[in-house]
Amino acid sequence: MSQKKIVIAPARSKRERARFVDLGLSFAAREPHWVPQLRSEMLELVDPARNPFFGHALVELFIARRGDRPVGRIAAHIDKLALLLPCDQGMGPGTGFFGYFDAEDDEVARALLDTAEGWLREQGMNRILGPISLSIWEEPGLLVKGQDHAPMIMMGHHPAHYAGWIEQAGYAEAKRLLTYDLEIGERFPPLVERIVRSGERNERIRIRPVDTGRWDEEVATILAILNDAWSRNWGFVPFTPEEIAHAGKKLKPVIFSDLNMIAELDGRPVAFMLTLPDINDVLRKIDGRLFPFGWARLLAWLRRPRGMGMRVPLMGVLRELQNSRLASQLAFMLIDRIRQSAYGTFRSRRAEIGWILDDNKGMMAIADAIGSRINREYVIYEKALGSAIGGNPESSALVSGDGSAATA
């Protein structure tokens, strides 16, 4: 008997979006070092009413089935802000995306990628990047190195064989993202310590904790620096006001003043560094379940997190100071100040810095100088889609008909 054909259809209703999320969780659970995530958080990310990313994006979610059995999923999406980027920043006109990619086998993988590509062509796109799930600020890239240890907060974790399936479908590497592991109990090399001590004697420089009592103001300050510092980086898409408010609300429970710093020069904020305690540490212990008792353990952890790893997801220095000795000095001072708090107050032993673009030589040099090492690598792939076959990315109609696709 021949194998049942693969049928791929959109997941648009609330119930189908839940099935899309649960399917992803079931695939992830097969990986030995995966950390169970909160289902409610995963549902929010694909909910147009709750994720502000949908305010500037068109998104279609697809589920693949063999008979009645779900065997894979994928998202295809268009970020209207990414369409406005210069082409030399990696995105720009005609670029669409795929994300949330999971497949049972190579046949399903190819069918899902074909479906995402076809949907993007219908919307007028001629190039596809991915996986990016969904925003560049959420989970960009496919994990290609580092499957042998658990991911930290807000980092994707994927099986090694996905890379081969994507490449067999005609995709090539567009950009590599790196994370660095740092033993924070170790002293920095003498040269770095001298640079930090010199900065501490400079009366123009002040390193101060983020004031959580003025959280909204501090978020605005940090995002203003970020939008300037990263504005010429590959793939940079600025945060919208709605995304800033949403991110501030979501991050506040895991923001501790001693771990998040702003650098001021002559009283003016010019650099920042955010550090998050690794909530995956407690999610692993509660198996990603808030009920019946996981919520109590999570609340206790949030009040007094101790002994967990730390992740530095974001840092930046104003563009006017970049490529100067002062920029490096500020970065070393921020890292040293937070390292002392993480080690002394929170009893942490290791931290992860990143992701960092593989052509960001300045940040890579700083990571090397403090003795960190690459522990994880992600790849964003690209593929030309050929001539677009029409469609309008501004249209509210995402696909015509039932949007389904089938392969024998």
Side-chain angles (χ1 to χ4, degrees):
M1 181 180 293
S2 63
Q3 191 177 49
K4 293 180 179 179
K5 72 178 181 179
I6 301 164
V7 177
I8 301 176
R12 293 174 179 163
S13 69
K14 182 177 180 180
R15 177 178 293 182
E16 282 297 300
R17 291 199 305 270
R19 288 174 177 162
F20 182 89
V21 166
D22 290 338
L23 180 58
L25 291 172
S26 69
F27 271 98
R30 303 175 187 179
E31 294 303 297
H33 295 285
W34 174 72
V35 178
Q37 300 296 294
L38 293 176
R39 182 173 181 268
S40 59
E41 295 293 314
M42 301 296 100
L43 289 170
E44 181 175 320
L45 287 172
V46 297
D47 187 343
R50 294 192 289 166
N51 184 351
F53 174 76
F54 285 79
H56 55 86
L58 300 180
V59 180
E60 190 76 285
L61 309 176
F62 294 97
I63 294 176
R65 290 178 172 87
R66 279 195 179 107
D68 294 331
R69 190 168 63 87
V71 291
R73 66 172 192 164
I74 200 168
H77 53 285
I78 299 167
D79 185 342
K80 297 175 188 176
L81 297 182
L83 295 177
L84 303 176
L85 295 179
C87 292
D88 61 1
Q89 285 187 231
M91 297 182 181
T95 300
F97 305 89
F98 78 90
Y100 291 129
F101 172 74
D102 287 296
E104 186 171 90
D105 55 42
D106 58 346
E107 184 185 23
V108 175
R110 186 59 178 263
L112 286 167
L113 290 167
D114 285 348
T115 299
E117 293 166 16
W119 182 86
L120 289 171
R121 286 193 191 95
E122 290 177 1
Q123 307 307 313
M125 301 296 102
N126 54 36
R127 177 171 174 259
I128 183 171
L129 282 175
I132 297 177
S133 312
L134 289 166
S135 163
I136 191 71
W137 300 107
E138 290 169 8
E139 287 190 9
L142 182 82
L143 182 68
V144 297
K145 174 184 176 183
Q147 283 91 353
D148 58 345
H149 55 288
M152 279 198 169
I153 178 175
M154 298 171 64
M155 296 298 288
H157 194 75
H158 316 105
H161 57 266
Y162 279 7
W165 291 348
I166 292 172
E167 291 166 7
Q168 288 166 16
Y171 287 77
E173 181 176 327
K175 186 59 62 176
R176 189 165 291 244
L177 316 176
L178 312 174
T179 67
Y180 285 77
D181 185 80
L182 176 66
E183 295 293 332
I184 58 179
E186 302 290 332
R187 294 178 64 90
F188 286 157
L191 175 59
V192 174
E193 291 200 341
R194 287 197 298 271
I195 293 172
V196 171
R197 301 291 91 81
S198 172
E200 291 173 343
R201 293 191 297 269
N202 187 338
E203 295 182 354
R204 299 178 62 202
I205 297 174
R206 177 192 178 208
I207 306 295
R208 66 168 179 84
V210 166
D211 185 351
T212 54
R214 298 186 300 112
W215 178 237
D216 290 344
E217 296 176 45
E218 295 287 64
V219 169
T221 296
I222 290 168
L223 267 296
I225 298 172
L226 176 69
N227 281 341
D228 177 81
W230 285 47
S231 61
R232 294 180 181 173
N233 283 5
W234 187 96
F236 173 77
V237 179
F239 283 92
T240 65
E242 293 78 13
E243 287 174 312
I244 291 172
H246 185 260
K249 181 179 179 181
K250 301 295 290 186
L251 288 177
K252 189 174 182 180
V254 290
I255 292 292
F256 297 86
S257 291
D258 291 349
L259 296 174
N260 297 274
M261 300 284 166
I262 292 175
E264 296 179 346
L265 182 66
D266 298 326
R268 174 190 173 211
V270 295
F272 76 93
M273 178 173 162
L274 294 185
T275 305
L276 305 177
D278 185 21
I279 198 171
N280 280 359
D281 180 67
V282 69
L283 292 180
R284 186 183 300 107
K285 294 172 183 175
I286 67 174
D287 197 31
R289 301 175 185 271
L290 289 179
F291 300 101
F293 305 114
W295 64 271
R297 193 163 188 172
L298 179 59
L299 287 176
W301 183 90
L302 288 171
R303 284 195 296 268
R304 189 178 172 81
R306 294 292 184 272
M308 82 307 295
M310 297 286 176
R311 180 179 170 225
V312 179
L314 290 173
M315 66 182 301
V317 180
L318 287 179
R319 201 169 66 224
E320 68 193 62
L321 299 178
Q322 292 176 8
N323 301 316
S324 70
R325 294 178 62 185
L326 180 58
S328 298
Q329 185 171 50
L330 292 172
F332 286 132
M333 293 175 71
L334 288 165
I335 294 169
D336 183 66
R337 179 78 171 270
I338 293 173
R339 180 189 67 85
Q340 292 182 46
S341 293
Y343 183 72
T345 303
F346 292 85
R347 299 199 296 275
S348 296
R349 295 295 180 268
R350 62 174 292 264
E352 189 169 282
I353 302 171
W355 44 269
I356 297 173
L357 293 168
D358 66 348
D359 57 1
N360 188 338
K361 303 304 182 185
M363 274 306 306
M364 292 173 68
I366 289 171
D368 290 339
I370 60 177
S372 61
R373 60 179 180 82
I374 296 172
N375 71 321
R376 234 187 293 274
E377 298 183 17
Y378 294 82
V379 169
I380 297 175
Y381 291 94
E382 67 179 340
K383 180 180 179 180
L385 297 180
S387 300
I389 61 174
N392 178 7
E394 297 297 322
S395 171
S396 60
L398 299 183
V399 290
S400 59
D402 67 0
S404 61
T407 182

